[in-house]
Amino acid sequence: GAVVSQHPSWVICKSGTSVKIECRSLDFQATTMFWYRQFPKQSLMLMATSNEGSKATYEQGVEKDKFLINHASLTLSTLTVTSAHPEDSSFYICSARSSGQPQHFGDGTRLSIL
Amino acid sequence: QKEVEQNSGPLSVPEGAIASLNCTYSDRGSQSFFWYRQYSGKSPELIMFIYSNGDKEDGRFTAQLNKASQYVSLLIRDSQPSDSATYLCAVGDGGTSYGKLTFGQGTILTVHP
């Protein structure tokens, strides 16, 4: 149980393009989803917390106009990196949880901006 | 600012030994504590979670929590080479922040044959 699917697993694209990453909870309804970013040899840094049907809460220093989060249903959240640049290259990981339960992580998306 | 500190690594143990991973946290109001394992290039995988003081055992893994000392640990018995990974300690917010976690920097564990 508690399977979280993230797609795509890796993306390579040109600078200036927008990239959408999907996060789905496959066997449970996720009341909350989280988006993290992880740079090499560093720990996870929370970007934003997303609750179904409401606006995401962004962590300090994360540009909400650049990292658009949509949590349209209890099983799907999307992160769109708009006008991506090389410094946005990173490992993006989503997690999902239902009330009272631990977070379970997707497999991550490795984003490379050329 | 909430902080989670893990013992500096890397930690190297021989196969079959006990690996001990430690973590301290700054927010005394924290209510939930998690250990995740992350293999290189992969996302974190939940190993254990603990909410109450004392020990919690699951197979070869034991989590220990001492809220008075703001300390949580993970013991891995009979360590195997497949246990080699980065172990992340995470502490949950006890308030209304929808289960937000603060992660430690991770401890790299190597189990050598």
Side-chain angles (χ1 to χ4, degrees), chain A residues 28-77:
Chain A
F28 67 101
Q29 291 188 325
T31 50
T32 310
M33 288 184 169
F34 303 84
W35 288 96
Y36 295 85
R37 181 166 53 182
Q38 187 176 36
F39 292 106
K41 300 189 184 302
Q42 295 187 21
S43 192
L44 279 72
M45 295 300 295
L46 179 65
M47 299 176 66
T49 302
S50 170
N51 291 288
E52 184 265 338
S54 61
K55 290 183 178 180
T57 302
Y58 290 81
E59 295 299 300
Q60 190 173 9
V62 178
E63 300 175 58
K64 61 181 180 181
D65 293 331
K66 181 170 184 63
F67 299 99
L68 302 179
I69 292 172
N70 183 279
H71 193 162
S73 75
L74 284 172
T75 60
L76 174 63
S77 176

Side-chain angles (χ1 to χ4, degrees), chain A residues 34 38 43 46 59 103 105-106, chain B residues 36 38 43 98-101 104:
Chain A
F34 303 84
Q38 187 176 36
S43 192
L46 179 65
E59 295 299 300
Q103 291 184 33
F105 287 85
Chain B
Y36 288 86
Q38 186 175 25
S43 66
Y98 306 105
K100 192 166 71 171
L101 297 178

Side-chain angles (χ1 to χ4, degrees), chain A residues 73-95:
Chain A
S73 75
L74 284 172
T75 60
L76 174 63
S77 176
T78 61
L79 168 68
T80 301
V81 184
T82 62
S83 186
H85 293 286
E87 59 266 29
D88 298 322
S89 298
S90 188
F91 190 40
Y92 291 85
I93 313 172
C94 74
S95 72

Side-chain angles (χ1 to χ4, degrees), chain B residues 67-109:
Chain B
K67 290 185 178 180
S69 300
Q70 295 175 237
Y71 173 91
V72 59
S73 66
L74 179 70
L75 300 178
I76 306 175
R77 291 181 300 282
D78 188 24
S79 297
Q80 302 297 309
S82 58
D83 295 327
S84 298
T86 297
Y87 288 81
L88 299 168
C89 171
V91 177
D93 195 311
T96 57
S97 59
Y98 306 105
K100 192 166 71 171
L101 297 178
T102 301
F103 283 85
Q105 74 273 31
T107 300
I108 298 173
L109 171 66

Side-chain angles (χ1 to χ4, degrees), chain B:
Chain B
Q1 184 176 354
K2 299 171 186 175
E3 294 182 350
V4 178
E5 296 286 338
Q6 295 185 235
N7 54 324
S8 59
L11 178 65
S12 181
V13 300
E15 184 174 358
I18 296 175
S20 177
L21 305 163
N22 304 314
C23 175
T24 59
Y25 58 95
S26 64
D27 183 7
R28 189 170 287 277
S30 300
Q31 297 294 322
S32 53
F33 308 86
F34 306 84
W35 285 98
Y36 288 86
R37 176 176 64 196
Q38 186 175 25
Y39 291 113
S40 180
K42 303 294 185 182
S43 66
E45 172 192 10
L46 181 66
I47 298 296
M48 295 279 293
F49 61 90
I50 185 168
Y51 299 150
S52 303
N53 276 328
D55 296 359
K56 180 181 179 182
E57 187 174 317
D58 184 1
R60 296 186 295 113
F61 300 95
T62 299
Q64 300 174 317
L65 174 62
N66 184 325
K67 290 185 178 180
S69 300
Q70 295 175 237
Y71 173 91
V72 59
S73 66
L74 179 70
L75 300 178
I76 306 175
R77 291 181 300 282
D78 188 24
S79 297
Q80 302 297 309
S82 58
D83 295 327
S84 298
T86 297
Y87 288 81
L88 299 168
C89 171
V91 177
D93 195 311
T96 57
S97 59
Y98 306 105
K100 192 166 71 171
L101 297 178
T102 301
F103 283 85
Q105 74 273 31
T107 300
I108 298 173
L109 171 66
T110 301
V111 181
H112 52 86

